[in-house]
Amino acid sequence: MRRKDREITDFARICQILDQAAFLTLSLIDDGVPYTVPVNFGWRTDGDHHVQLFIHGATTGKKIDCLNACAAVSFCAVSFSRVGPGERPCDWTNFYGSVCGSGTAAIVTDTDEKKEALLRILKKYGYDGPDDIPAPMLQKTAVIRIDVHHLTGKAHADAENE
């Protein structure tokens, strides 16, 4: 990372950015060409800096086709972004908090893991209802787990966004 002064090395802060991010952009390979799509997500960690991300979607379509062809993915999640204007062009800046990484994606087939992943996604966005996901919904929803191999955090914060 070129700007070491903006690097986040505190794992708790990286987790906070994942909690606060409204979505992440998922990057896949589509027949040798990059393909990026914004997705809602959930995540978990084992407490030892190992992170798994979860996304959901249809059981068929471009994401699934790309993942079946190449399991390598990358992603970026941003917790805040605000332009800091200046009087001259070089005085402008952007204040932000972000987490980027890469990993290997797999389609989740285990029903219990699928349910847990969907609940993690729901709870990230504020759901606090019962944990009963109907079997028909589980069957027609694809869940993708990303085992993260590389993770970095970076921020340029001001008093408004610390």
Side-chain angles (χ1 to χ4, degrees), residues 1-8 93 96 152-154 156:
M1 181 171 300
R2 185 182 66 80
R3 292 293 306 259
K4 292 290 186 186
D5 60 317
R6 295 188 182 166
E7 180 179 22
I8 300 172
T93 191
Y96 61 90
T152 60
K154 190 174 178 184
H156 182 194

Side-chain angles (χ1 to χ4, degrees), residues 34-153:
Y35 168 67
T36 301
V37 61
V39 293
N40 291 340
F41 72 103
W43 68 281
R44 70 179 171 198
T45 181
D46 62 5
D48 196 26
H49 300 145
H50 298 112
V51 172
Q52 291 179 319
L53 302 172
F54 299 99
I55 64 170
H56 75 292
T59 57
T60 61
K62 192 166 188 169
K63 277 192 304 261
I64 297 297
D65 291 345
C66 290
L67 291 172
N68 284 331
C70 178
V73 300
S74 62
F75 59 88
C76 180
V78 177
S79 62
F80 69 90
S81 177
R82 186 181 68 77
V83 173
E87 291 184 24
R88 299 181 321 235
C90 293
D91 294 337
W92 285 64
T93 191
N94 189 39
F95 298 105
Y96 61 90
S98 66
V99 171
C100 297
S102 59
T104 305
I107 298 170
V108 176
T109 57
D110 178 79
T111 303
D112 290 336
E113 184 179 12
K114 206 172 175 180
K115 182 178 176 181
E116 178 194 349
L118 290 170
L119 288 168
R120 285 183 180 277
I121 295 167
L122 285 164
K123 289 178 181 182
K124 178 184 179 348
Y125 294 98
Y127 177 76
D128 66 354
D131 289 355
D132 57 335
I133 296 175
M137 289 304 293
L138 281 173
Q139 291 172 351
K140 73 177 195 175
T141 304
V143 172
I144 298 160
R145 181 189 64 244
I146 300 166
D147 295 309
V148 177
H149 304 305
H150 180 72
L151 190 66
T152 60

